[in-house]
Amino acid sequence: MAAFPEISKIKFEGVQSSNPLAFRFYNPDEVIAGKTMKDHLRFSAAYWHTLCGDGSDPFGSGTRFYPWDNGLSGLDRSIKRVEVFFEFCEKLGSPYYCFHDRDVAAEGKTLAESNKNLDAIVKLLKERQQKTGVKLLWGTANLFGNPRYMHGAATSSNADAFAYAAAQVKKALEVTLELGGEGYTFWGGREGYQCIWNADLKREADHLAKFMHMAVDYAKEIGFQGQFYFEPKPKEPTKHQYDFDSAACINFLRTYGLQDYVKMNIETNHATLAGHTVEHELEYAASQGFLGSIDANTGDLLLGWDTDQFPTNVYETTKIMLVLLKYGGFKTGGLNFDAKVRRESFEPVDLFYAHIGGMDAFAKGLKIAAAIQESGEIAKMVKDRYSSWNSGVGAEIEAGKHSFKTLEKYILEKGEVAPNKSGRQELFENVVNRYTFPQ
Ligand code: XUL
Ligand code: CO
């Protein structure tokens, strides 16, 4: 029996539509800037939020009791959820999905039992993928939920926790390969510290690097050619996480010789928790050659935690799409909705409203960003701002023809710098608004 019997395939109806179960902007086959919207956006649904979240928060228990879960638990519930999830993805038109090992298959009493559960579910996932054409964007392992990981996994003070996590990631890589996954994500749920007095930071960072190298080596051994991603998050659950932001992650990857194997998976709400914007994080990663994938969501600036809301702010999606277009779009990766419906939105249809809203917000953002990009207006304004570097002393410095001594001589002769030009921030903002609101 269908899990969403009243919902049929979500269609594009255009901007005039007021049908809440239709797309107004996301038209998968429409070509924008030389590529279909589907290929630009590469949407993915997150298994954990969509099917496993029950709406509980630190102050209250779950509010969502979906009918398909009724009376089921353990592996039986995991089996049922596979069917529901693919019905959801197919009706929504989500080309990809992402999962953690423990979202899709209930954890057993032992590692062997958990692996057996996972194998049973992977068989079903594979069947459903083949039947529906929905593909795996990336897989990952949950190395934070079980109490054994209370001190972290790869960075735990308990060497056995490291070993258990290694065994878990080994299996997660095998199943990601089996399912044709295009990537594998490291998000260090508890890879950080709560108290600097009891933490050996250097040792923990060395261990994390060792762990990631083991994953890279094992991927080579089994022929997994997907892209590895590192997902920054500054805090939560721990006070300080080592994967703080793009800059910290990239420094870590380079320090430990992982830069050729791992790119970044940037999440909007994690960026804001780090005191950045998502466009900052993306621009930083992309400009350093680490653009990988995106966990699309948003936070609430009045709440200081990871609320994982669906992205509906078209300014924000425009900024994300501008960075993506500037750097040539996704090579791997996609827009994974690492987002959950609110605790108060407990009906199955809310899952559709949420994803439709996010997909439309990104489709609209893509259109605006493509128009800005195509006009070249902003790019030209930025280029003009740096015109002093195109000739004279600027060009000479860039070409490596100067030192402190020669520059001292230059300024002593010149006396004062050429007059500065206005930064024109307000004009830049107005130009963006002209494309955002053309009428
Ligand atoms: C947690 C988070 C994770 C990762 C995958 O904040 O974002 O769901 O995306 O482990
Ligand atoms: Co995430």
Side-chain angles (χ1 to χ4, degrees):
M1 209 191 90
F4 308 98
E6 294 94 36
I7 297 171
S8 38
K9 175 115 180 106
I10 307 299
K11 294 201 188 87
F12 169 72
E13 290 186 4
V15 71
Q16 75 297 332
S17 173
S18 57
N19 176 0
L21 290 170
F23 296 118
R24 297 175 62 241
F25 298 104
Y26 181 57
N27 185 8
D29 298 324
E30 188 178 330
V31 175
I32 307 277
K35 235 162 52 178
T36 62
M37 278 197 179
K38 191 176 168 197
D39 288 346
H40 273 291
L41 299 165
R42 293 166 61 86
F43 287 125
S44 154
Y47 206 100
W48 53 102
H49 285 312
T50 309
L51 278 230
C52 310
D54 66 359
S56 54
D57 70 11
F59 300 94
S61 53
T63 55
R64 282 198 289 278
F65 304 98
Y66 290 134
W68 51 81
D69 280 343
N70 201 12
L72 297 175
S73 62
L75 190 60
D76 291 337
R77 189 172 66 179
S78 303
I79 291 171
K80 178 68 193 169
R81 284 178 174 177
V82 173
E83 184 191 311
V84 175
F85 186 72
F86 281 87
E87 182 190 334
F88 175 76
C89 288
E90 208 178 8
K91 287 186 167 168
L92 181 68
S94 178
Y96 287 101
Y97 75 108
C98 295
F99 70 82
H100 299 81
D101 50 359
R102 302 298 179 246
D103 316 327
V104 288
E107 181 156 15
K109 286 198 195 69
T110 61
L111 180 67
E113 197 182 311
S114 299
N115 286 351
K116 207 168 143 232
N117 287 354
L118 194 51
D119 284 336
I121 294 294
V122 164
K123 198 166 161 271
L124 301 179
L125 291 170
K126 199 169 177 182
E127 275 167 29
R128 291 284 156 174
Q129 283 185 206
Q130 276 159 0
K131 205 164 150 226
T132 60
V134 175
K135 293 187 275 187
L136 179 61
L137 188 67
W138 50 257
T140 189
N142 180 327
L143 305 178
F144 43 90
N146 191 292
R148 80 174 66 89
Y149 298 126
M150 66 171 74
H151 298 295
T155 65
S156 177
S157 47
N158 180 352
D160 272 358
F162 182 108
Y164 205 111
Q168 214 181 307
V169 172
K170 173 180 176 288
K171 183 69 183 173
L173 283 169
E174 289 163 11
V175 303
T176 301
L177 172 67
E178 171 71 14
L179 293 170
E182 297 179 20
Y184 184 90
T185 291
F186 293 105
W187 170 63
R190 294 180 194 276
E191 312 295 29
Y193 65 84
Q194 299 286 28
C195 169
I196 202 152
W197 301 122
N198 75 7
D200 185 337
L201 265 63
K202 172 72 167 66
R203 211 165 179 184
E204 294 199 6
D206 287 352
H207 292 169
L208 181 57
K210 218 175 238 356
F211 192 87
M212 287 169 82
H213 271 293
M214 285 184 193
V216 167
D217 290 347
Y218 191 63
K220 279 189 198 153
E221 199 178 319
I222 62 175
F224 173 67
Q225 291 179 346
Q227 177 63 53
F228 279 106
Y229 304 113
F230 201 10
E231 182 177 323
K233 184 173 183 181
K235 57 187 168 191
E236 202 202 272
T238 60
K239 174 169 80 177
H240 179 97
Q241 299 195 175
Y242 301 130
D243 49 359
F244 195 95
D245 60 2
S246 281
C249 287
I250 291 169
N251 177 57
F252 172 88
L253 294 173
R254 287 189 178 135
T255 302
Y256 289 100
L258 286 154
Q259 68 275 15
D260 295 339
Y261 310 107
V262 186
K263 294 199 187 298
M264 305 303 300
N265 180 34
I266 303 294
E267 178 164 328
T268 311
N269 204 170
H270 296 180
T272 46
L273 284 176
H276 300 310
T277 58
V278 63
E279 61 273 19
H280 162 88
E281 285 292 85
L282 282 171
E283 182 73 47
Y284 190 87
S287 63
Q288 296 288 318
F290 285 80
L291 177 64
S293 197
I294 295 178
D295 268 7
N297 63 14
T298 195
D300 185 324
L301 293 181
L302 297 184
L303 296 171
W305 67 88
D306 195 15
T307 58
D308 282 343
Q309 289 165 230
F310 275 83
T312 54
N313 181 333
V314 174
Y315 265 126
E316 206 158 81
T317 58
T318 300
K319 287 176 187 166
I320 292 172
M321 295 316 299
L322 268 172
V323 181
L324 273 176
L325 291 178
K326 180 172 162 190
Y327 289 95
F330 289 120
K331 301 281 179 296
T332 62
L335 286 162
N336 172 48
F337 287 112
D338 192 355
K340 57 190 174 209
V341 290
R342 298 303 82 200
R343 187 166 192 266
E344 304 80 7
S345 307
F346 56 85
E347 293 179 9
V349 69
D350 292 313
L351 294 171
F352 280 91
Y353 294 147
H355 285 82
I356 290 169
M359 289 160 87
D360 258 352
F362 268 99
K364 178 71 180 163
L366 167 64
K367 287 186 144 183
I368 299 167
I372 294 173
Q373 166 102 349
E374 201 192 342
S375 79
E377 223 177 313
I378 295 273
K380 180 173 181 308
M381 285 162 68
V382 174
K383 212 168 160 211
D384 288 349
R385 188 160 177 250
Y386 290 86
S387 58
S388 71
W389 292 90
N390 295 342
S391 59
V393 73
E396 289 163 16
I397 295 170
E398 283 193 351
K401 292 184 182 148
H402 274 288
S403 66
F404 273 9
K405 275 198 217 156
T406 61
L407 290 174
E408 180 191 49
K409 183 167 174 282
Y410 167 76
I411 287 297
L412 284 172
E413 276 165 20
K414 187 159 186 181
E416 191 42 87
V417 304
N420 275 308
K421 291 186 195 164
S422 167
R424 301 256 188 267
Q425 179 176 330
E426 300 76 9
L427 177 61
F428 273 86
E429 288 163 347
N430 293 352
V431 172
V432 169
N433 266 2
R434 181 149 45 76
Y435 287 92
T436 310
F437 309 109
Q439 51 194 336

